[in-house]
Amino acid sequence: MAEKRDFYEVLGVERSATKDQIKDSYRKLAMKYHPDRNKAPEAEEKFKEVSEAYAVLSDDQKRQQYDTLGHAGFDQRYTQEDIFRGADFSDIFRDIGGGFSDIFRMFFGGGFGGGGFGGFGERVNRGQDLLYDLNITLEEAAKGAQKEIEIPRTERCDVCGGSGAAPGTQPKTCPQCNGAGRIQHMRRSAFGTFVQVAPCSQCRGKGKIVESPCKDCKGSGLVNRRRKITVNIPVGIDEGYQLRLRSEGSMAGNGGESGDLYVLVHIIPHEEFVRDGDDLHYVQIIGYPQAALGTEVEVPTLDGPTKVKIQPGTQVGDIMKLKGKGMPRFRGYGKGDLLVQVGIAVPEKLTAKQRELLQELAKEFGEEVKPKRHKFMF
């Protein structure tokens, strides 16, 4: 589809819809557009569209990010595989059997981690994905950095090599599934005959049975460890961006693939700058004489201090733009700007001489100085 529609519009629900309302709407639309029932040319694309909308809006975290970022920002953070990972379709298609997993496999190129589509169809042996919140400074976001983090995760047991069997012994092939780890069942429904695949109950989907468990991992083949990992922070990264480190999550038993590590980046508030996309904002406080007569001041930038001319008659709230002194554009070229806003410092206490001079100045100005309205950024 040329341009994605709003997910709430796709499912025909309000933005305040509950999970049950979202599920009910998806159930009706999925049955309506399922290609086995609807032979219209656009049915498959509609089925894919409503399924993607449901995968996002049925997940609290993905829904919150979609509501905040919209399609453009959300699609930068999630691949299609990420969107469907962990989505639960089992409730909706329990009566249909494995036919629906075949449809998803056709659309999205195979199964997904964490059990594929919520437990129906063939399951994928994959480790757990992990999430780590990483705080960095604005300077690190501007220049890029390498950060070392430590995460707890499951890893292969060194004693048994991941087999789960005590040293000197070997797991035996499960007699019930002949090592496949799953059992197939034929079942009939109103839509035809389907093959359902379920994990083997005897070996619990492993295909092997351990008679003498390893003492270190207690037969699981996995142990808990804390691992130090280096994360490369790209130049110009923004608040809330999610970095994906493939296969750095927890390992899976029985020779399965490792999950991924997601690093959620947070920018620590800066003492002087406020970030707005690629631009930075800074407030420069000067005295009234400097604003009236003009002066030269030194303002900070991410590249070091630079001098800026204050023109005579500068008003409170006036903004000076320093081109190219903002943040580097994330995965782009060039930099944003530094916007310097002028503020006027008013003395809290005056000496007798200062008060006298200001009173004389006020008489001198008379009605020439009139209050003006100014637009502030903060």
Side-chain angles (χ1 to χ4, degrees):
M1 301 180 73
E3 184 177 346
K4 285 186 176 181
R5 292 194 295 150
D6 179 78
F7 285 149
Y8 293 95
E9 178 188 344
V10 169
L11 293 181
V13 296
E14 299 292 331
R15 301 190 79 83
S16 58
T18 64
K19 274 191 172 182
D20 287 340
Q21 290 172 329
I22 289 171
K23 179 182 287 188
D24 289 343
S25 178
Y26 173 65
R27 188 195 309 271
K28 294 174 184 177
L29 291 169
M31 297 297 286
K32 176 181 178 181
Y33 292 116
H34 182 250
D36 283 351
R37 306 185 69 191
N38 190 332
K39 301 302 181 181
E42 69 276 8
E44 287 189 5
E45 198 63 39
K46 287 283 189 183
F47 183 75
K48 176 179 176 180
E49 184 183 36
V50 297
S51 298
E52 182 179 9
Y54 174 73
V56 173
L57 299 186
S58 62
D59 183 287
D60 290 338
Q61 182 179 354
K62 292 187 179 78
R63 182 177 181 180
Q64 182 181 10
Q65 292 195 358
Y66 175 76
D67 289 344
T68 303
L69 303 169
H71 266 307
F74 185 84
D75 290 345
Q76 288 181 354
R77 287 163 169 75
Y78 289 91
T79 64
Q80 193 170 66
E81 180 182 342
D82 295 332
I83 287 174
F84 281 88
R85 178 173 291 123
D88 184 8
F89 292 85
S90 57
D91 245 8
I92 297 172
F93 299 132
R94 185 174 289 126
D95 295 333
I96 305 301
F100 276 83
S101 67
D102 296 334
I103 293 295
F104 281 112
R105 197 168 286 114
M106 175 181 66
F107 282 151
F108 306 113
F112 293 89
F117 293 97
F120 63 86
E122 184 176 345
R123 297 179 66 88
V124 178
N125 185 27
R126 188 177 184 278
Q128 182 181 7
D129 290 338
L130 302 177
L131 178 66
Y132 186 92
D133 289 285
L134 177 63
N135 296 322
I136 64 172
T137 65
L138 187 66
E139 287 81 3
E140 289 172 329
K143 299 177 181 179
Q146 283 191 336
K147 305 287 285 186
E148 187 177 74
I149 64 175
E150 187 176 66
I151 60 167
R153 69 181 187 185
T154 56
E155 295 186 357
R156 186 174 295 108
C157 176
D158 294 331
V159 175
C160 65
S163 69
T169 67
Q170 292 291 332
K172 72 173 187 178
T173 301
C174 174
Q176 181 167 303
C177 65
N178 293 320
R182 57 187 183 272
I183 303 294
Q184 293 186 353
H185 299 281
M186 300 288 291
R187 63 174 299 180
R188 298 180 181 276
S189 75
F191 301 101
T193 302
F194 297 100
V195 176
Q196 283 189 311
V197 181
C200 174
S201 59
Q202 188 166 342
C203 66
R204 297 182 181 179
K206 295 180 178 180
K208 302 283 185 180
I209 295 177
V210 177
E211 295 180 328
S212 300
C214 169
K215 292 183 179 179
D216 283 59
C217 65
K218 297 179 174 57
S220 69
L222 300 171
V223 292
N224 294 320
R225 288 199 181 100
R226 298 190 68 85
R227 179 70 63 181
K228 291 184 178 180
I229 296 174
T230 299
V231 180
N232 292 315
I233 305 298
V235 172
I237 196 167
D238 205 347
E239 166 70 29
Y241 195 87
Q242 192 170 253
L243 299 173
R244 180 183 183 185
L245 280 66
R246 291 183 180 274
S247 301
E248 291 291 0
S250 290
M251 292 185 180
N254 201 32
E257 62 179 293
S258 297
D260 297 331
L261 170 63
Y262 291 87
V263 178
L264 186 60
V265 176
H266 302 286
I267 312 295
I268 300 170
H270 200 273
E271 292 183 355
E272 297 179 310
F273 303 118
V274 174
R275 183 175 182 177
D276 180 18
D278 298 326
D279 295 333
L280 295 176
H281 297 282
Y282 174 76
V283 175
Q284 176 66 48
I285 304 298
I286 60 175
Y288 170 74
Q290 294 173 304
L293 301 174
T295 187
E296 188 175 72
V297 296
E298 191 172 77
V299 300
T301 74
L302 291 175
D303 301 319
T306 187
K307 292 184 177 180
V308 175
K309 285 187 177 181
I310 304 292
Q311 297 298 323
T314 293
Q315 302 293 307
V316 60
D318 282 356
I319 297 173
M320 297 169 290
K321 181 185 292 186
L322 304 186
K323 283 192 168 293
K325 293 296 184 180
M327 294 292 293
R329 293 189 173 89
F330 183 48
R331 293 178 178 169
Y333 299 96
K335 293 183 177 182
D337 303 323
L338 173 61
L339 304 177
V340 180
Q341 186 175 33
V342 175
I344 305 297
V346 178
E348 295 182 3
K349 295 182 180 180
L350 296 172
T351 64
K353 182 64 174 179
Q354 290 170 338
R355 181 179 298 276
E356 181 183 346
L357 291 173
L358 283 175
Q359 287 173 342
E360 290 181 10
L361 186 59
K363 291 178 183 178
E364 184 67 26
F365 279 127
E367 296 296 323
E368 292 182 21
V369 179
K370 296 182 179 179
K372 297 180 180 179
R373 291 184 177 180
H374 299 280
K375 184 179 181 181
F376 286 89
M377 295 179 293
F378 308 106

